[in-house]
Amino acid sequence: VLPTGRDTVDTAVDHTDISNARVFVNKKGTSAQAEDSAEMMRKIALGLIHRTNVESSISPGRQSAKHFWLHGLGVIKTIWDADRWMDKPEQKEGESDIEYGIRIDAWRAFGHYALPIIIQAVNPYAINPDPTTGGQLYVIEKHRKLTYDALRQFPLWHNPRGKGTDDYVEYLTYYDKDYRCDLLDGEPILRVKGGVVN
Protein backbone atom coordinates (compact mmCIF):
# COMPACT_ATOMS: atom_id res chain seq x y z
CA VAL A 1 0.00 0.00 0.00
CA LEU A 2 1.51 3.31 -1.06
CA PRO A 3 1.80 6.05 1.58
CA THR A 4 0.60 8.73 -0.85
CA GLY A 5 -2.68 9.50 0.95
CA ARG A 6 -1.06 9.71 4.38
CA ASP A 7 1.79 11.84 3.02
CA THR A 8 -0.72 14.24 1.44
CA VAL A 9 -2.63 14.67 4.72
CA ASP A 10 0.56 14.98 6.79
CA THR A 11 1.90 17.62 4.40
CA ALA A 12 -1.34 19.61 4.73
CA VAL A 13 -1.13 19.31 8.54
CA ASP A 14 2.51 20.48 8.45
CA HIS A 15 1.37 23.58 6.54
CA THR A 16 -1.36 24.35 9.10
CA ASP A 17 -0.05 26.92 11.55
CA ILE A 18 -0.80 25.62 15.02
CA SER A 19 2.21 27.23 16.74
CA ASN A 20 1.13 30.87 16.56
CA ALA A 21 -2.28 30.95 18.20
CA ARG A 22 -4.01 34.31 18.27
CA VAL A 23 -6.21 35.02 21.26
CA PHE A 24 -8.66 37.91 21.45
CA VAL A 25 -10.40 38.92 24.68
CA ASN A 26 -13.29 41.39 24.80
CA LYS A 27 -12.78 44.28 27.18
CA LYS A 28 -15.44 44.75 29.85
CA GLY A 29 -15.23 48.52 29.73
CA THR A 30 -13.31 51.48 28.39
CA SER A 31 -11.09 52.16 31.42
CA ALA A 32 -7.38 51.41 31.63
CA GLN A 33 -8.18 48.77 34.28
CA ALA A 34 -10.52 46.95 31.85
CA GLU A 35 -7.79 47.02 29.20
CA ASP A 36 -5.21 45.63 31.64
CA SER A 37 -7.64 42.91 32.73
CA ALA A 38 -8.33 41.88 29.12
CA GLU A 39 -4.60 41.74 28.39
CA MET A 40 -4.02 39.56 31.47
CA MET A 41 -6.78 37.15 30.36
CA ARG A 42 -5.25 37.01 26.87
CA LYS A 43 -1.86 36.09 28.33
CA ILE A 44 -3.41 33.43 30.58
CA ALA A 45 -5.14 31.85 27.55
CA LEU A 46 -1.88 31.89 25.55
CA GLY A 47 -0.06 30.31 28.49
CA LEU A 48 -2.74 27.60 28.79
CA ILE A 49 -2.43 26.78 25.09
CA HIS A 50 1.36 26.62 25.35
CA ARG A 51 1.23 24.48 28.49
CA THR A 52 -1.23 22.06 26.88
CA ASN A 53 1.05 21.61 23.86
CA VAL A 54 4.11 21.08 26.07
CA GLU A 55 2.48 18.62 28.50
CA SER A 56 0.59 16.52 25.93
CA SER A 57 2.19 13.52 24.23
CA ILE A 58 0.60 14.73 20.99
CA SER A 59 -0.43 18.37 20.66
CA PRO A 60 -4.23 18.73 20.58
CA GLY A 61 -3.73 21.46 17.98
CA ARG A 62 -1.91 19.03 15.69
CA GLN A 63 -4.55 16.34 16.27
CA SER A 64 -7.27 18.84 15.48
CA ALA A 65 -5.43 19.95 12.32
CA LYS A 66 -5.24 16.32 11.19
CA HIS A 67 -8.96 15.85 11.86
CA PHE A 68 -9.62 19.00 9.84
CA TRP A 69 -7.75 17.69 6.79
CA LEU A 70 -9.27 14.21 7.13
CA HIS A 71 -12.87 15.16 7.96
CA GLY A 72 -13.18 18.87 7.19
CA LEU A 73 -13.74 19.73 10.87
CA GLY A 74 -11.52 20.07 13.93
CA VAL A 75 -13.08 19.86 17.40
CA ILE A 76 -11.39 21.11 20.57
CA LYS A 77 -12.97 20.30 23.94
CA THR A 78 -12.16 22.17 27.15
CA ILE A 79 -12.70 20.20 30.36
CA TRP A 80 -12.68 21.34 33.98
CA ASP A 81 -10.90 18.69 36.09
CA ALA A 82 -10.95 19.56 39.79
CA ASP A 83 -8.70 16.56 40.53
CA ARG A 84 -5.82 18.55 39.02
CA TRP A 85 -5.82 21.00 41.94
CA MET A 86 -3.02 20.40 44.40
CA ASP A 87 -4.43 19.06 47.67
CA LYS A 88 -3.78 21.21 50.71
CA PRO A 89 -1.22 19.39 52.88
CA GLU A 90 -2.43 18.28 56.29
CA GLN A 91 -0.36 18.67 59.41
CA LYS A 92 1.40 15.41 60.25
CA GLU A 93 1.34 13.98 63.73
CA GLY A 94 4.25 15.42 65.70
CA GLU A 95 4.98 18.12 63.12
CA SER A 96 5.56 21.55 64.61
CA ASP A 97 3.49 24.54 63.54
CA ILE A 98 6.61 26.16 62.04
CA GLU A 99 7.43 23.12 59.86
CA TYR A 100 3.80 22.85 58.80
CA GLY A 101 3.75 26.58 58.03
CA ILE A 102 6.76 26.13 55.72
CA ARG A 103 4.95 23.35 53.83
CA ILE A 104 1.78 25.47 53.58
CA ASP A 105 3.82 28.38 52.19
CA ALA A 106 5.35 26.07 49.57
CA TRP A 107 1.86 24.78 48.69
CA ARG A 108 0.61 28.36 48.29
CA ALA A 109 3.63 29.30 46.17
CA PHE A 110 3.29 26.40 43.73
CA GLY A 111 -0.47 25.76 43.86
CA HIS A 112 -1.15 28.15 40.98
CA TYR A 113 0.86 25.89 38.65
CA ALA A 114 -1.88 23.26 38.87
CA LEU A 115 -4.48 24.50 36.40
CA PRO A 116 -7.60 22.30 36.47
CA ILE A 117 -8.24 22.75 32.75
CA ILE A 118 -7.66 20.09 30.09
CA ILE A 119 -7.78 20.78 26.35
CA GLN A 120 -8.48 17.77 24.12
CA ALA A 121 -8.90 17.21 20.41
CA VAL A 122 -11.98 15.07 19.79
CA ASN A 123 -12.57 13.10 16.62
CA PRO A 124 -15.42 14.87 14.78
CA TYR A 125 -16.98 11.46 14.11
CA ALA A 126 -17.87 11.34 17.85
CA ILE A 127 -19.49 14.78 17.96
CA ASN A 128 -23.20 15.33 17.25
CA PRO A 129 -24.09 19.03 17.54
CA ASP A 130 -27.71 20.08 17.70
CA PRO A 131 -28.89 20.35 14.09
CA THR A 132 -30.73 23.65 14.50
CA THR A 133 -27.85 25.91 15.54
CA GLY A 134 -24.79 23.82 14.68
CA GLY A 135 -23.96 23.03 18.30
CA GLN A 136 -24.70 26.33 20.01
CA LEU A 137 -27.51 24.89 22.16
CA TYR A 138 -26.18 21.42 22.99
CA VAL A 139 -23.71 18.75 21.91
CA ILE A 140 -23.87 14.97 22.21
CA GLU A 141 -20.57 13.11 22.24
CA LYS A 142 -20.60 9.38 21.51
CA HIS A 143 -17.74 6.89 22.00
CA ARG A 144 -17.24 3.16 22.24
CA LYS A 145 -15.41 1.92 25.30
CA LEU A 146 -14.31 -1.52 26.38
CA THR A 147 -16.33 -2.82 29.31
CA TYR A 148 -13.06 -3.48 31.15
CA ASP A 149 -12.03 0.19 30.82
CA ALA A 150 -15.52 1.39 31.77
CA LEU A 151 -15.52 -0.70 34.95
CA ARG A 152 -12.05 0.58 35.90
CA GLN A 153 -13.01 4.21 35.30
CA PHE A 154 -16.49 3.98 36.83
CA PRO A 155 -16.43 1.24 39.50
CA LEU A 156 -20.02 2.02 40.65
CA TRP A 157 -21.43 1.34 37.17
CA HIS A 158 -23.70 -1.73 37.24
CA ASN A 159 -23.14 -3.01 33.66
CA PRO A 160 -26.93 -3.27 33.03
CA ARG A 161 -26.59 -5.35 29.87
CA GLY A 162 -24.14 -7.83 31.44
CA LYS A 163 -21.43 -7.39 28.81
CA GLY A 164 -18.11 -9.20 29.06
CA THR A 165 -14.89 -7.35 29.76
CA ASP A 166 -13.80 -7.53 26.10
CA ASP A 167 -17.15 -6.26 24.75
CA TYR A 168 -17.80 -2.63 23.84
CA VAL A 169 -20.23 -0.34 25.62
CA GLU A 170 -21.69 2.91 24.33
CA TYR A 171 -20.56 6.02 26.20
CA LEU A 172 -22.77 9.07 25.59
CA THR A 173 -22.26 12.55 26.98
CA TYR A 174 -24.83 15.33 26.65
CA TYR A 175 -23.82 18.85 27.56
CA ASP A 176 -25.10 22.37 27.11
CA LYS A 177 -24.28 25.60 28.91
CA ASP A 178 -26.24 24.53 32.02
CA TYR A 179 -26.40 20.73 32.22
CA ARG A 180 -24.36 17.58 31.63
CA CYS A 181 -25.33 13.92 31.61
CA ASP A 182 -23.06 10.90 31.02
CA LEU A 183 -24.55 7.50 30.13
CA LEU A 184 -22.84 4.11 29.84
CA ASP A 185 -25.13 1.72 27.99
CA GLY A 186 -28.05 3.90 29.07
CA GLU A 187 -27.16 4.04 32.79
CA PRO A 188 -26.28 7.45 34.28
CA ILE A 189 -22.77 7.39 35.75
CA LEU A 190 -22.65 10.80 37.40
CA ARG A 191 -23.59 10.10 40.99
CA VAL A 192 -26.20 12.81 41.44
CA LYS A 193 -29.98 12.54 41.64
CA GLY A 194 -31.29 11.83 38.15
CA GLY A 195 -27.75 11.58 36.71
CA VAL A 196 -27.80 15.19 35.44
CA VAL A 197 -25.46 17.80 36.89
CA ASN A 198 -26.06 21.51 36.78
Side-chain angles (χ1 to χ4, degrees):
V1 177
L2 294 174
T4 311
R6 183 185 182 98
D7 286 347
T8 302
V9 171
D10 286 343
T11 301
V13 172
D14 290 339
H15 285 84
T16 304
D17 186 7
I18 58 169
S19 302
N20 301 300
R22 289 180 287 173
V23 176
F24 300 95
V25 177
N26 293 330
K27 290 189 286 188
K28 295 182 179 176
T30 57
S31 66
Q33 184 179 4
E35 191 168 328
D36 290 344
S37 176
E39 180 62 14
M40 181 60 72
M41 290 303 295
R42 189 184 76 80
K43 288 179 179 177
I44 288 172
L46 284 170
L48 182 60
I49 292 168
H50 173 73
R51 182 177 182 165
T52 299
N53 287 333
V54 169
E55 290 182 348
S56 302
S57 55
I58 299 174
S59 162
R62 184 163 180 84
Q63 280 182 300
S64 182
K66 185 163 268 196
H67 292 156
F68 174 79
W69 288 106
L70 285 171
H71 308 292
L73 178 67
V75 178
I76 297 285
K77 181 166 84 169
T78 307
I79 303 169
W80 171 267
D81 184 5
D83 291 336
R84 298 189 116 201
W85 281 122
M86 292 175 62
D87 292 333
K88 181 179 179 181
E90 295 187 14
Q91 189 167 6
K92 297 175 184 173
E93 191 174 326
E95 183 178 31
S96 71
D97 289 342
I98 294 172
E99 291 172 334
Y100 179 60
I102 292 169
R103 288 198 307 121
I104 286 291
D105 287 343
W107 171 73
R108 284 190 188 118
F110 293 102
H112 64 278
Y113 290 127
L115 283 173
I117 299 171
I118 302 171
I119 298 175
Q120 294 178 338
V122 181
N123 191 321
Y125 178 77
I127 298 296
N128 299 292
D130 76 280
T132 308
T133 65
Q136 293 181 28
L137 294 179
Y138 65 87
V139 173
I140 297 173
E141 188 177 342
K142 178 181 175 182
H143 295 281
R144 287 177 48 186
K145 209 182 243 296
L146 278 172
T147 305
Y148 174 77
D149 293 333
L151 287 167
R152 280 185 53 221
Q153 188 176 359
F154 307 105
L156 298 177
W157 177 57
H158 297 107
N159 191 2
R161 297 182 185 161
K163 292 189 175 175
T165 54
D166 57 345
D167 293 329
Y168 283 97
V169 296
E170 186 177 75
Y171 183 28
L172 286 173
T173 302
Y174 166 93
Y175 41 90
D176 59 31
K177 68 181 186 65
D178 296 317
Y179 301 100
R180 175 177 173 169
C181 179
D182 289 16
L183 303 173
L184 263 175
D185 269 359
E187 179 185 330
I189 54 173
L190 299 176
R191 295 297 162 201
V192 292
K193 187 175 182 180
V196 178
V197 292
N198 186 348

